[in-house]
Amino acid sequence: MIKPLRVLQILAVLVFCSAARAEFVVEITRGQSEAIPIAVVPFSSAQETAASFDVADLVSDDLTRSGRFNAMDRKDMLEQPHSGAAIAFDDWRRLNSDYMVVGQLSAQGSDRFNIVFELYNVLTRQRLLGYQISTNRAGLRLASHQVADMVFEKIIGVRGAFATRVAYISVLGHLPNRRYRLIVADADGDNPRIIMESNEPLMSPAWSPDGQSLAYVSFEDKLPSLYVQTLKSGERHRVSARAGVNQAPAWSPDGKKLALTLSTRDGNLDVYVLDLATQGLTRITDDPAIDTEPQWSKDGNSLYFTSDRSGGPQIYKISLTPGSKPRRLTFQGGYNARPRLSPDESQLTFVTQEDGAYRIATMDLNGRNDVQVLTKGHFDVSPSYAPNGAVIIYASRDQGRGVLAMVSSDGRVQQRLVSPEGEVQEPAWGPF
Amino acid sequence: MPGFLREYSSSVLFSMLLHGLMIAALVFSAQFSFTHHPSNLQPLPVSATVIDSQILHAAARAQEEAAARAAAQAKAAADAQAAEQAAAAAQEHATEVQKAEVVKQAADAKRVEAAKEADDAARAAQAVKAADAQRALEAKRAAEAKQAAEDKQSALAKQAADAKRVADAKRAAEERARLDREAELRRQIQDEEHVSEVEAGPLGDRYRLSLQNRITHAWIKPPSARSGIDCRVEVTQIPGGEVTNARVTQCNGDAAVRQSIENAVYRASPLPDPPDPSLFHRVFVLEFKPND
C-alpha cells in the first residue's frame, strides 16, 4: 500500500515544481510604429501585351504611400520568384523582408488579363493570400490597386483604400482666361477625369456617402450656388442658390441632407441643414460670428464646424437637437479650422497655424484631445481622410504651385502625388 | 531439457493430456481386441503416434514412450499399476479439462484387463514368455516415464524459482528507479530554487530587460494593438538564442495583432544570451500588453 502513496507524493512534487516554475514571463508594453518591410516581386508576364503593365510597381507604390510599408527596391532583389514554391525564404529573410508578394500577369485573349498573386509571411513561411483577378486592359490599374488593398488589409488589419477615388479642383491659366475643373482621379492621382469645367470658380467638392454623386459650389451664375452632380450620368441639380453665400456642403451619413453655410442679409455666416428631398432648411447655429465648414458626426446627430466666436477660428461641436449650445474642441493655437472627421470618429484633422504657416494637424477625440501637427509645409490646407483613416490627403504648395500631397494619419510618411497640370485645390477623398 | 520444457510447456502439457486420453482409449479398445484378437496389438499404438506427431512434432519422442507403455500395460497386471501411476500423473495435468472421469474409467478398465491377462498368461506359456519380455521392457519404460515425470517436476520447480528470481530483480530495479526519480526531483527542486533566486535577482532583471528591449524594437504594432490588448506568445529557443517557434497561446487581439506578435519574436531572433546560463529557458512566455 506504500506504492500508491508514493505515486501521489511524486505527482504532488511535480505539480508543485511546475507551479513554482510558473514560466519565465517577460512583459512587452511598447512597440514600434515603423513601416513593415515587404518585397513585391515583379510579376512574370510571358506575353508582350501584358509586359507593358507593371502590377508589382503599382502595388509597391500603393503600399509605400500608405506609410505602413517599406517596399523593397527591386534592384536589391537577388531573385524574382513568381510563385510560392519558388521562394527561398531564408534568403528573403536575410534581406529583412517580413512579407512578400509574388505573382503572374497573363493575357487570356485580345482584351482579357489574369492577375494571379500570393502573399507570404517570410518569417513564418505562411501563405496568407492567394487570389486570381480577371480584368480587361482598362481595369488593370484598378485590379492592381485591389491587390494592394488585400495585402494591406491582411497585414494591417484595416481595409485598404487604394482602389478608391479622389475629387479635387484644378485651376488652369491666368486671369482673365482662367479655367476651373472639377476632377475625379484614382487615389494615387492617376487616371484623372473631368467632371465639370467652368470659366468661373468651382469650390468645395463633397462626396455623397454612396460615392455616386458630388456636391460642389459653382460661380457659373456669377454668384455662388450649390450643385449636386451624379457622376455616371453627368446629371446635375442646383440645390441651393439663396441670396448671399451658399458654400461648404457636407452630406449627412444617410445621404439625404446637406449641411451648408448660408449668409443672412447683413452678411453673417451660419450653419444650416438642407433636406434634399423637401428643400426644408433648418438653422443650426445662430451667432454674430462666422460659423462655417460643417461636418457630420458619424451618428448624424451632431455637427463639427469652424467658428471665430472666440476671436480666431476654432473648432466646435453642436448637437442637432434644437436649442443646443456648441462646445469648443480646440484650444491649442490661435487658428484651427476646416475640421474633417476620421471614419471611426476617433480623430479630427484640421488646418492649424504654426510659425505663421498653415499646416495639417490631428486631434484625438478620446478625451485627452492630444494635438499632433503632421506636416511641415508653409501652406498645407484642405485635409481629407482616406475612407480607412490611414492617410490624409491635402493641398500643398510646391514652388508656388498648388499640388496634392498625402500624410499618414500618424504623421510618419508624407508624399507628394503625381502632379496634375494646373493649380490643385481642395482634394476630397471618396468613400470605398 | 528444462529449456525445452520452458519453451514448449504448453505443448508438453497438451501432449500429456493427449496421452491420458490415448491410454484410456487404448485400454478401452484393448479390452475388446484382447477378447477377440489377442495377437493383434501392435497397429493401434502406431496409428495413435501418427495422429500425435501430426499435432505435436516437438513431443514426438515422449509420445512414442507413452504409446509403448500403453501397449505393455495391456499385457501385465504389474504393468497395470505403473500404467495407473502414469494415468494418475496424466490426470493431474488434465484436471482443468474435464477428463478426470474418463481417466478413472480407463484405470478401472485396465484393472479388469489385467485380471484377464493373468488368466491368459496361466493358460499360454508362449504368451507368458512374451509377457516376461514385455514386462522387462515395460519396467524399463516405466522407469523412464518416472524419470521423465521427475525431470518435469524439477523443471517446474526450477521454472518457479526462475520466475521468483526475475520478479525479485524487477522489484529491485523498480525500487532503484524510484530512488533515482526522487533524487532527480530533489536535484530539480534545488536547481529551480537556485534559478528562481537568480531570476529574482539583478541578473534575472538584466536578462528580462535585454529580452524586453530586443522584442520592443522588433515589434511593429498594427493600429489595433491598443491598450487593453493582452496576448501571450510561447517562445521556443535553442542555445544561442535562435527562435525555433513562436506560438500565440492566448490573445484578445485581431489577426493583425497576432501576426505582428509572432513576427516580432522571429524578427528578434537570435535572442540575447542570458547573463547566467541557469537563466536560459528553452521555452518561455512573452506577454504583450501595449499601454497606449
Side-chain angles (χ1 to χ4, degrees):
Chain A
M1 275 301 96
I2 273 171
K3 255 187 168 174
L5 275 175
R6 272 284 177 203
V7 169
L8 273 177
Q9 204 179 335
I10 288 164
L11 275 176
V13 167
L14 281 172
V15 167
F16 169 78
C17 282
S18 57
R21 184 129 199 156
E23 305 167 318
F24 183 66
V25 180
V26 179
E27 200 172 281
I28 308 296
T29 55
R30 289 175 299 123
Q32 306 304 307
S33 48
E34 66 196 44
I36 297 169
I38 189 168
V40 185
V41 181
F43 281 33
S44 73
S45 47
Q47 296 86 352
E48 279 302 309
T49 42
S52 58
F53 190 85
D54 194 335
V55 179
D57 187 49
L58 191 148
V59 172
S60 212
D61 281 356
D62 275 353
L63 294 176
T64 300
R65 203 177 322 107
S66 75
R68 300 268 177 211
F69 289 94
N70 180 12
M72 182 189 286
D73 194 322
R74 56 177 67 172
K75 288 200 299 287
D76 297 334
M77 296 179 186
L78 300 176
E79 52 194 357
Q80 300 194 346
H82 301 303
S83 70
I87 298 174
F89 285 104
D90 289 335
D91 293 348
W92 290 93
R93 172 137 191 222
R94 244 169 266 129
L95 292 171
N96 289 323
S97 103
D98 287 7
Y99 296 91
M100 60 191 298
V101 177
V102 292
Q104 306 116 45
L105 170 64
S106 58
Q108 301 292 307
S110 58
D111 191 30
R112 210 68 212 157
F113 296 88
N114 243 0
I115 293 175
V116 177
F117 79 96
E118 295 171 283
L119 169 66
Y120 282 87
N121 182 332
V122 176
L123 298 166
T124 63
R125 299 166 186 232
Q126 276 175 305
R127 183 178 190 261
L128 303 178
L129 287 179
Y131 278 101
Q132 174 179 320
I133 304 173
S134 187
T135 184
N136 57 15
R137 176 162 285 282
L140 278 173
R141 293 194 66 85
L142 182 63
S144 303
H145 287 310
Q146 283 168 346
V147 171
D149 278 344
M150 285 187 263
V151 169
F152 186 90
E153 179 163 6
K154 192 69 195 177
I155 298 170
I156 305 299
V158 173
R159 191 171 169 183
F162 304 116
T164 53
R165 294 165 298 172
V166 172
Y168 58 88
I169 306 294
S170 145
V171 185
L172 297 159
H174 297 280
L175 285 172
N177 298 316
R178 271 212 172 134
R179 299 287 296 160
Y180 296 85
R181 284 174 178 169
L182 170 58
I183 288 173
V184 170
D186 291 351
D188 57 358
D190 219 307
N191 195 19
R193 286 144 286 167
I194 298 168
I195 301 302
M196 167 69 189
E197 190 162 11
S198 171
N199 290 327
E200 301 298 333
L202 297 171
M203 290 167 61
S204 310
W207 288 92
S208 66
D210 62 4
Q212 307 273 318
S213 309
L214 281 171
Y216 56 89
V217 175
S218 171
F219 282 70
E220 62 199 75
D221 307 319
K222 304 294 176 192
L223 290 168
S225 309
L226 221 56
Y227 286 83
V228 169
Q229 183 168 337
T230 307
L231 294 181
K232 228 174 216 162
S233 62
E235 191 187 347
R236 59 200 287 267
H237 299 284
R238 196 168 68 178
V239 296
S240 182
R242 289 165 175 82
V245 162
N246 297 267
Q247 67 180 37
W251 297 79
S252 62
D254 63 5
K256 290 176 177 164
K257 296 170 189 165
L258 281 180
L260 73 167
T261 304
L262 298 174
S263 58
T264 50
R265 212 160 275 127
D266 58 0
N268 176 38
L269 302 183
D270 274 304
V271 172
Y272 293 76
V273 168
L274 173 70
D275 189 306
L276 285 169
T278 66
Q279 280 289 310
L281 200 62
T282 310
R283 185 169 187 163
I284 305 302
T285 67
D286 188 359
D287 193 278
I290 294 170
D291 295 334
T292 186
E293 299 169 342
Q295 281 291 297
W296 293 81
S297 65
K298 216 176 156 191
D299 61 9
N301 293 329
S302 309
L303 292 178
Y304 294 83
F305 65 99
T306 308
S307 174
D308 66 354
R309 61 187 67 198
S310 67
Q314 297 293 342
I315 293 161
Y316 293 78
K317 184 182 182 182
I318 189 168
S319 164
L320 295 184
T321 311
S324 299
K325 290 267 173 279
R327 185 165 60 89
R328 182 173 166 181
L329 298 178
T330 53
F331 293 91
Q332 192 172 310
Y335 184 104
N336 297 296
R338 201 177 182 282
R340 288 290 184 273
L341 211 54
S342 69
D344 63 359
E345 210 169 347
S346 69
Q347 217 182 37
L348 209 59
T349 184
F350 50 91
V351 179
T352 193
Q353 208 173 26
E354 188 187 61
D355 307 329
Y358 293 98
R359 287 171 181 160
I360 308 301
T362 56
M363 184 173 80
D364 290 336
L365 293 176
N366 56 9
R368 285 203 307 236
N369 293 7
D370 294 333
V371 172
Q372 191 189 357
V373 179
L374 304 184
T375 64
K376 287 278 165 236
H378 291 286
F379 195 76
D380 298 334
V381 295
S382 302
S384 172
Y385 275 104
N388 64 4
V391 179
I392 296 165
I393 193 169
Y394 62 97
S396 185
R397 293 197 81 78
D398 182 24
Q399 297 168 347
R401 195 168 77 92
V403 294
L404 291 182
M406 286 185 185
V407 61
S408 57
S409 54
D410 56 9
R412 216 163 54 202
V413 174
Q414 234 170 303
Q415 194 171 326
R416 200 145 288 163
L417 262 74
V418 183
S419 195
E421 55 175 338
E423 184 97 355
V424 180
Q425 301 171 350
E426 295 193 282
W429 207 317
F432 283 121
Chain B
M1 192 62 180
F4 166 84
L5 273 176
R6 249 202 307 281
E7 206 173 332
Y8 296 103
S9 57
S10 59
S11 312
V12 169
L13 199 68
F14 183 68
S15 93
M16 300 280 289
L17 192 69
L18 214 73
H19 292 164
L21 280 170
M22 266 165 25
I23 290 161
L26 280 169
V27 167
F28 197 63
S29 67
Q31 195 174 358
F32 289 98
S33 58
F34 273 60
T35 312
H36 304 288
H37 312 281
S39 58
N40 200 11
L41 281 169
Q42 302 295 36
L44 285 165
V46 173
S47 69
T49 307
V50 170
I51 296 162
D52 215 13
S53 74
Q54 271 171 353
I55 301 165
L56 290 159
H57 308 273
R61 213 179 62 155
Q63 280 159 9
E64 267 170 42
E65 287 170 8
R69 187 200 327 149
Q73 268 173 347
K75 283 270 173 194
D79 301 345
Q81 213 173 353
E84 201 179 332
Q85 278 174 6
Q91 189 186 358
E92 223 177 279
H93 291 283
T95 44
E96 56 211 291
V97 193
Q98 310 139 344
K99 298 296 180 187
E101 211 177 281
V102 178
V103 173
K104 190 167 167 274
Q105 274 175 4
D108 289 348
K110 269 175 261 164
R111 245 174 257 120
V112 173
E113 178 54 35
K116 284 193 176 193
E117 181 58 29
D119 288 346
D120 283 348
R123 256 184 268 130
Q126 273 177 315
V128 170
K129 193 182 164 195
D132 285 349
Q134 290 266 337
R135 205 182 302 126
L137 183 66
E138 181 51 34
K140 187 176 168 257
R141 296 229 168 122
E144 273 173 14
K146 198 181 163 217
Q147 181 61 45
E150 276 168 8
D151 282 356
K152 207 169 294 161
Q153 205 76 32
S154 74
L156 284 171
K158 188 171 181 293
Q159 207 171 342
D162 283 353
K164 187 174 177 291
R165 213 165 28 248
V166 168
D168 286 351
K170 199 174 159 224
R171 231 183 342 269
E174 277 170 358
E175 180 65 10
R176 260 198 313 280
R178 187 179 61 75
L179 290 172
D180 285 353
R181 266 199 307 278
E182 283 177 10
E184 172 69 9
L185 280 174
R186 269 196 297 278
R187 199 181 56 74
Q188 273 181 18
I189 291 165
Q190 279 165 2
D191 281 359
E192 273 158 28
E193 275 166 359
H194 167 71
V195 167
S196 58
E197 265 171 42
V198 177
E199 266 174 21
L203 287 181
D205 287 348
R206 209 201 310 161
Y207 185 38
R208 231 177 275 270
L209 202 64
S210 67
L211 282 170
Q212 239 164 19
N213 278 338
R214 182 67 66 85
I215 305 286
T216 298
H217 280 102
W219 185 30
I220 300 179
K221 281 196 307 179
S224 48
R226 297 187 169 271
S227 83
I229 290 292
D230 189 347
C231 297
R232 290 166 79 89
V233 57
E234 196 182 89
V235 181
T236 309
Q237 61 171 338
I238 56 175
E242 192 192 321
V243 173
T244 55
N245 193 33
R247 188 171 61 90
V248 175
T249 53
Q250 166 208 318
C251 185
N252 61 1
D254 59 13
V257 169
R258 288 163 174 268
Q259 178 139 281
S260 74
I261 285 170
E262 280 184 9
N263 280 9
V265 178
Y266 285 115
R267 283 164 64 92
S269 177
L271 299 170
D273 284 333
D276 179 320
S278 73
L279 284 169
F280 180 83
H281 292 77
R282 211 177 64 78
V283 179
F284 67 97
V285 171
L286 288 170
E287 189 170 18
F288 287 74
K289 290 167 88 171
N291 56 12
D292 71 352

